[in-house]
């Protein structure tokens, strides 16, 4: 490694832990662009280095199992520091019972089996399991906080039910690897994420509304539209009356976008989403939409760091140094770490 890269990495690591250790950053999501991106490896690095005595860990699925159910690849166990709260099921408890205390049985179930909150008596490596819905994940995170956790780490993924859609997330780390695609595809996707997190925040609407709202002549009008799917005609009618702004609580998909794009382009008011990650159209379409529409988001995505992993479970590995240097040139305004660097 060159001296400059060492300085860059040291600076990024220092800033990352400075952000994570801030008192107000209680719930931290580590989300991958794809499966096997390296989330668990990075989570373990955080757990071994963060200066925080009251940590809790959960996941949006199942982490630390011996082998991935889809690929059959061996997976790393989750490192659990002493006195850490975490969630798992009875089968896992039977393997680690001498090293944990059962704190409580939760109301959440995964594949029909209840989840338990445990506290580690000592350092161990094991499996963690969490509920699948965003609502239950956030409820569990708040259960951990009620039990004394000052930091909750959630291992997740970026999909249509992503944990980052929750406004309660205080910090977001994105982990990416060539499993997602080529160097160009990685750059495009991370650029897309960065641009979505940079959308300007709007405070005209309440984030908890579950229906389309719009403001006409300074008066807020509530509709009965919960989703854009199968309601494109109604939305076009609303846009045609030229309100000052419109609030959209649901996702904008490629199929819906194709029906609405001309109306969006001619609309001069504000288009406000609850969360910019609800914009799920192709990146090329997003760039056009952003250039021709006044896009806003109620919830600010708290993007903290990009983490890259040049190793690929699909064997389409990339050169670590080339990947790291290339992405740092593209993303000079955000911290970027490489889990293949010697620091890890």
């Amino acid at each position: 490694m060159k001296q400059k890269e060492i300085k860059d990495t040291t600076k990024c690591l220092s800033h990352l832990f400075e952000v994570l250790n801030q008192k107000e950053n209680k719930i931290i999501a580590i989300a991958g662009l794809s499966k096997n991106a390296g989330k668990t490896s990075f989570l373990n690095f955080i757990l071994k280095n963060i200066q925080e005595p009251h940590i809790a860990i959960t996941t949006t699925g199942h982490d630390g199992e011996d082998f991935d159910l889809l690929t059959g690849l061996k997976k790393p166990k989750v490192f659990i520091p002493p006195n850490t709260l975490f969630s798992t099921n009875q089968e896992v408890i039977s393997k680690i019972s001498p090293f944990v205390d059962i704190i409580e049985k939760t109301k959440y179930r995964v594949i029909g089996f209840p989840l338990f909150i445990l506290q580690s008596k000592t350092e161990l490596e094991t499996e963690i399991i969490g509920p699948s819905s965003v609502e239950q994940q956030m409820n569990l995170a708040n259960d951990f906080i009620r039990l004394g956790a000052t930091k909750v780490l959630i291992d997740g993924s970026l999909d249509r039910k992503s944990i980052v859609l929750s406004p309660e997330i205080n910090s977001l780390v994105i982990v990416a690897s060539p499993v997602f695609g080529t160097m160009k595809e990685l750059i495009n996707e991370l650029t897309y994420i960065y641009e979505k997190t940079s959308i300007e925040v709007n405070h005209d609407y309440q984030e908890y509304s579950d229906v389309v709202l719009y403001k006409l002549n300074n008066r807020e009008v509530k509709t009965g539209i919960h989703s854009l799917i199968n309601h494109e005609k109604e939305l076009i009618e609303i846009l045609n009356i030229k309100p000052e702004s419109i609030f959209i609580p649901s996702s904008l998909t490629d199929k819906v976008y194709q029906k609405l794009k001309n109306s969006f382009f001619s609309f001069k008011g504000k288009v406000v989403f609850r969360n910019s990650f609800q914009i799920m159209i192709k990146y090329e379409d997003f760039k056009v939409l952003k250039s021709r529409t006044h896009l806003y988001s109620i919830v600010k995505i708290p993007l903290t760091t990009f983490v890259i992993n040049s190793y690929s479970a699909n064997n389409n590995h990339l050169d670590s140094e080339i990947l790291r240097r290339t992405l740092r040139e593209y993303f000079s305004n955000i911290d970027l770490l490489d889990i293949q660097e010697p620091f890890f």
Side-chain angles (χ1 to χ4, degrees):
M1 289 180 67
K2 294 183 178 180
Q3 193 65 30
K4 182 181 183 303
E5 285 195 275
I6 294 174
K7 288 182 179 179
D8 287 343
T9 299
T10 303
K11 181 180 178 181
C12 290
L13 284 172
S14 177
H15 183 248
L16 171 65
F17 283 107
E18 178 185 333
V19 172
L20 298 186
N21 283 319
Q22 289 173 359
K23 186 177 180 180
E24 61 270 23
N25 287 342
K26 292 184 177 181
I27 304 178
I28 299 157
I30 300 173
L33 290 189
S34 60
K35 286 184 64 64
N36 301 311
K39 299 189 311 296
T40 303
S41 296
F42 186 71
L43 173 66
N44 287 344
F45 172 78
I46 294 293
L47 291 169
K48 290 175 182 178
N49 290 278
I50 193 169
Q51 299 299 312
E52 178 58 58
H54 304 294
I55 296 177
I57 315 164
T58 189
T59 177
T60 58
H62 189 169
D63 288 317
E65 64 270 44
D66 292 332
F67 298 94
D68 186 274
L69 292 176
L70 294 177
T71 65
L73 295 171
K74 186 174 177 59
K75 297 189 66 175
K77 294 293 184 184
V78 179
F79 171 79
I80 310 289
N83 304 312
T84 298
L85 295 170
F86 64 102
S87 59
T88 195
N89 64 15
Q90 186 65 55
E91 181 180 358
V92 176
I93 294 173
S94 66
K95 302 174 186 177
I96 58 173
S97 57
F99 312 107
V100 297
D101 289 321
I102 298 176
I103 303 302
E104 64 181 50
K105 180 180 179 180
T106 76
K107 58 187 177 182
Y108 317 115
R109 303 179 75 86
V110 175
I111 318 178
F113 297 98
L115 292 179
F116 293 81
I117 293 177
L118 312 181
Q119 186 168 35
S120 57
K121 296 179 182 179
T122 185
E123 179 181 302
L124 73 150
E125 293 183 335
T126 187
E127 302 169 51
I128 60 173
I129 300 172
S132 59
S133 76
V134 173
E135 181 181 6
Q136 290 185 352
Q137 290 156 17
M138 297 315 305
N139 287 341
L140 178 58
N142 286 311
D143 289 340
F144 285 137
I145 292 171
R146 169 177 55 82
L147 291 168
T150 53
K151 287 282 182 289
V152 181
L153 302 180
I154 302 177
D155 190 337
S157 61
L158 290 178
D159 54 29
R160 293 183 186 275
K161 296 181 180 179
S162 177
I163 187 66
V164 304
L165 293 177
S166 171
E168 295 184 72
I169 294 296
N170 304 123
S171 181
L172 170 64
V173 175
I174 299 291
V175 185
S177 85
V179 172
F180 180 83
T182 64
M183 175 93 77
K184 181 178 180 180
E185 288 170 333
L186 278 175
I187 290 171
N188 283 345
E189 187 64 17
L190 292 176
T191 302
Y192 191 7
I193 289 171
Y194 183 79
E195 290 186 11
K196 283 200 284 191
T197 62
S198 302
I199 288 176
E200 189 175 341
V201 173
N202 178 277
H203 300 288
D204 291 347
Y205 297 95
Q206 297 295 325
E207 65 86 14
Y208 53 78
S209 175
D210 62 349
V211 297
V212 171
L213 307 172
Y214 63 92
K215 289 191 174 181
L216 184 64
N217 300 323
N218 293 318
R219 183 174 67 88
E220 184 174 285
V221 180
K222 184 176 182 179
T223 74
I225 304 172
H226 292 270
S227 171
L228 299 185
I229 298 173
N230 297 323
H231 292 282
E232 295 90 348
K233 289 184 178 179
E234 292 100 314
L235 199 75
I236 290 172
E237 290 174 359
I238 293 171
L239 295 174
N240 285 341
I241 64 174
K242 304 186 185 311
E244 292 94 38
S245 62
I246 184 167
F247 168 71
I248 299 174
S250 61
S251 298
L252 178 64
T253 63
D254 286 311
K255 186 175 180 180
V256 171
Y257 172 73
Q258 294 305 318
K259 297 178 181 179
L260 294 176
K261 63 180 182 180
N262 291 332
S263 295
F264 277 138
F265 296 163
S266 60
F267 181 58
K268 303 303 180 185
K270 299 176 182 178
V271 179
V272 184
F273 287 86
R274 174 186 285 125
N275 182 307
S276 58
F277 272 56
Q278 290 175 295
I279 304 173
M280 296 179 173
I281 58 179
K282 295 181 180 68
Y283 178 43
E284 293 302 318
D285 288 331
F286 171 79
K287 288 191 289 186
V288 175
L289 178 66
K290 186 179 179 183
S291 68
R292 300 185 62 177
T293 309
H294 302 292
L295 289 181
Y296 293 85
S297 173
I298 291 177
V299 177
K300 175 68 175 175
I301 303 295
L303 180 61
T304 301
T305 305
F306 282 150
V307 176
I308 55 171
N309 176 17
S310 59
Y311 175 83
S312 171
N314 295 345
N315 290 320
N316 58 322
H317 317 299
L318 293 172
D319 182 277
S320 180
E321 288 192 18
I322 294 175
L323 177 64
R324 180 170 64 250
R325 291 172 187 170
T326 302
L327 291 182
R328 279 184 173 156
E329 288 178 5
Y330 269 89
F331 302 105
S332 58
N333 294 326
I334 186 169
D335 291 338
L336 188 139
L337 295 167
D338 177 4
I339 62 175
Q340 298 299 325
E341 287 184 274
F343 286 83
F344 295 88

